[in-house]
Amino acid sequence: MNRLKVMTIFGTRPEAIKMAPLVKELDKNKNVESKVCVTAQHREMLDQVLDLFNIKPDYDLDIMKSKQSLTGVTNRVLQGLEEIFNEYKPDIILVHGDTTTTFVSSLAGFYQKIKVGHVEAGLRSFDKYFPYPEEMNRKLTGAIADIHFAPTKGAKNNLLNEGVEEKNIYITGNTVIDAMSTTVEEDYRFKNEELNNIDYDNKKVIMVTAHRRENWGEGIENICKSLKHIVENNEDVELVYLVHLNPIVKDVAEKHLKGVERVHLLPPQDTKETHNLMNKSYMLMTDSGGLQEEAPHLGKPVLVLRDVTERPEGVTQGTVRLVGTNFDNLIKNAQELLTDKAVYEKMSDAINPYGDGKASKRIVKALLYYFNLEDERPDEFR
Ligand code: UD1
């Protein structure tokens, strides 16, 4: 067999962060012809990550539109990939996680009978509409995929329960932990001066992100109101809110928090700034999936602004607490972490359940094994 033709496809910022270490690993392997295709479901937020990891896509669908609809994204990705696959036919495409890019790319691959490898497979909340549309995106991708790279044992079990053949599932750990070994630095100086000017030693810095569709409207309103209350009632708190570029989210954050003392409303920062901000923070409040995996690696307690999660390991292990978006509940939980040292220390006692930094290596080895270019299966993440 000639070199294995592997096309990695992604479109949003978190997919890019988590695929970057894998792309690097594929590029290094002499048995692989590695191509990268971005849908650019995100534009600026994606380009930041491509720049940071110095990845130059071979194909760029450039589909993002302001306030894009799910249908619009779906149509543009499906159409665009058909044209690309007519020009270059990979042996396998690799997709990541649960975005609309993920699902539609796997569908486009299936339509042309191209094998599909699903990275970060098997996470389930078991609720069709939470997270929306991600739970269904991930399930549908799982139904199409030929090889499943499950980050944890729990994710593998979910796939087994759905009838996926065990031999096609590999427990790899999460590639985001691979990425963090290159981004987090102890004496990091931020490119953003506002972040350098914060007194991380004497203030309790709360890092915030919130953008999910199911929180649009009342959820985001409650989150912003409670953040204001928390800052105003705790003089030692400094709040850094990295506000998503979506106007639906941004307008609400600015309405409640712009100009409030000790609140820093900043646009999304690049991955290196974000990971290092997390490392210097006291705790996080977020509805993001990825931050729930990254923060335990750094021993930072996370209040998750959602009612369900497809990432239960952090909750079981204790670093992550699901708190929803109820105003009183948010304040109660934040106040406890800010003032009760024992509770804080228990939550920040980190053992990362999500990875050991070797996920990308395992995935490449598994791919080669699947195509008979390697004799042994990779070891599994435990
Ligand atoms: C998408 C994914 C979500 C993932 C999230 C990570 C879907 C349906 N949603 O949600 O699973 O958790 O990315 O951030 O796949 N925008 C910009 N510039 C950017 C990025 C976004 O201006 O670089 C604005 C645009 O107005 C765009 C809007 O944000 O229309 C929404 O982007 P979209 O990708 O549709 O949804 P996200 O909420 O980012």
Side-chain angles (χ1 to χ4, degrees):
M1 192 174 182
N2 293 329
R3 289 199 298 165
L4 185 68
K5 289 160 77 179
V6 182
M7 183 182 276
T8 311
I9 307 178
F10 49 91
T12 66
R13 178 177 53 172
E15 291 166 78
I17 297 167
K18 291 169 161 188
M19 286 301 226
L22 179 54
V23 168
K24 296 285 167 200
E25 206 56 42
L26 289 164
D27 285 349
K28 274 198 298 202
N29 196 292
K30 60 180 183 340
N31 289 319
V32 171
E33 179 176 288
S34 165
K35 300 272 183 201
V36 171
C37 172
V38 295
T39 64
Q41 176 177 335
H42 285 172
R43 188 69 272 174
E44 306 91 304
M45 285 160 64
L46 171 77
D47 291 343
Q48 284 177 348
V49 186
L50 294 175
D51 286 348
L52 177 68
F53 289 96
N54 196 18
I55 293 175
K56 298 194 173 39
D58 300 281
Y59 301 93
D60 188 337
L61 299 182
D62 198 23
I63 63 133
M64 194 193 91
K65 296 210 186 315
S66 185
K67 296 195 178 179
Q68 59 203 2
S69 71
L70 295 175
T71 309
V73 172
T74 302
N75 285 339
R76 292 193 292 280
V77 172
L78 200 54
Q79 187 74 49
L81 283 179
E82 180 177 68
E83 284 161 26
I84 286 173
F85 293 155
N86 285 338
E87 184 188 318
Y88 179 84
K89 197 143 189 172
D91 298 311
I92 185 160
I93 57 170
L94 296 179
V95 296
H96 181 280
D98 61 6
T99 71
T100 295
T101 284
T102 315
F103 160 55
V104 180
S105 302
S106 61
L107 183 63
F110 168 70
Y111 280 167
Q112 307 227 10
K113 298 196 176 152
I114 297 168
K115 299 267 185 210
V116 176
H118 189 195
V119 181
E120 202 186 78
L123 282 63
R124 296 287 184 270
S125 69
F126 304 102
D127 187 328
K128 189 172 167 182
Y129 291 107
F130 292 89
Y132 167 83
E134 288 82 5
E135 174 74 358
M136 201 39 77
N137 281 341
R138 204 186 293 267
K139 270 188 89 162
L140 294 167
T141 306
I144 292 172
D146 300 280
I147 319 181
H148 309 255
F149 304 106
T152 63
K153 195 158 183 259
K156 175 177 174 176
N157 286 339
N158 291 336
L159 292 167
L160 289 175
N161 290 338
E162 290 173 11
V164 176
E165 272 190 89
E166 185 161 19
K167 69 174 173 45
N168 294 330
I169 310 173
Y170 298 84
I171 305 178
T172 59
N174 198 304
T175 53
V176 79
I177 309 302
D178 308 8
M180 290 184 92
S181 66
T182 63
T183 54
V184 179
E185 294 168 10
E186 269 326 304
D187 294 321
Y188 186 74
R189 247 197 98 66
F190 292 98
K191 285 172 275 199
N192 183 312
E193 272 312 310
E194 192 169 342
L195 292 176
N196 278 331
N197 292 336
I198 295 172
D199 181 358
Y200 296 93
D201 294 331
N202 296 306
K203 294 278 188 202
K204 289 179 175 151
V205 174
I206 306 180
M207 174 178 160
V208 180
T209 78
H211 71 278
R212 304 204 77 92
R213 278 183 157 71
E214 63 270 21
N215 280 342
W216 288 356
E218 199 188 338
I220 294 277
E221 292 275 346
N222 283 345
I223 291 167
C224 291
K225 282 187 214 158
S226 70
L227 292 173
K228 185 162 187 259
H229 182 98
I230 292 162
V231 179
E232 288 180 343
N233 287 281
N234 293 277
E235 281 193 357
D236 57 347
V237 164
E238 198 105 10
L239 195 104
V240 183
Y241 185 167
L242 305 180
V243 186
H244 194 288
L245 296 178
N246 194 333
I248 296 171
V249 173
K250 202 170 153 198
D251 293 352
V252 181
E254 288 183 349
K255 181 175 83 182
H256 292 287
L257 293 162
K258 201 168 179 179
V260 176
E261 214 183 321
R262 285 175 283 108
V263 172
H264 307 264
L265 286 186
L266 298 175
Q269 302 294 300
D270 74 31
T271 311
K272 200 157 182 176
E273 299 271 283
T274 308
H275 284 174
N276 283 288
L277 173 62
M278 196 187 310
N279 194 32
K280 289 180 193 291
S281 295
Y282 179 82
M283 62 187 261
L284 279 77
M285 294 174 73
T286 183
D287 63 5
S288 147
L291 293 184
Q292 290 175 54
E293 295 156 344
E294 295 162 7
H297 185 60
L298 300 171
K300 304 296 174 182
V302 189
L303 297 180
V304 177
L305 310 168
R306 294 164 57 176
D307 296 315
V308 292
T309 182
E310 64 290 358
R311 294 171 166 89
E313 292 86 354
V315 179
T316 311
Q317 177 252 337
T319 317
V320 174
R321 202 185 271 182
L322 284 180
V323 294
T325 55
N326 173 281
F327 177 82
D328 293 328
N329 200 36
L330 287 185
I331 291 172
K332 182 173 126 272
N333 277 283
Q335 209 57 41
E336 190 183 15
L337 267 173
L338 288 167
T339 51
D340 190 329
K341 209 161 169 251
V343 171
Y344 180 83
E345 281 175 0
K346 196 152 177 253
M347 278 187 82
S348 58
D349 190 11
I351 313 163
N352 194 312
Y354 294 113
D356 60 1
K358 297 184 203 150
S360 307
K361 283 196 167 52
R362 291 192 185 99
I363 292 170
V364 174
K365 194 164 181 200
L367 274 177
L368 295 173
Y369 176 74
Y370 183 87
F371 285 95
N372 298 319
L373 292 165
E374 177 85 49
D375 296 333
E376 284 175 25
R377 280 178 74 96
D379 70 317
E380 299 215 313
F381 168 64
R382 281 167 213 286

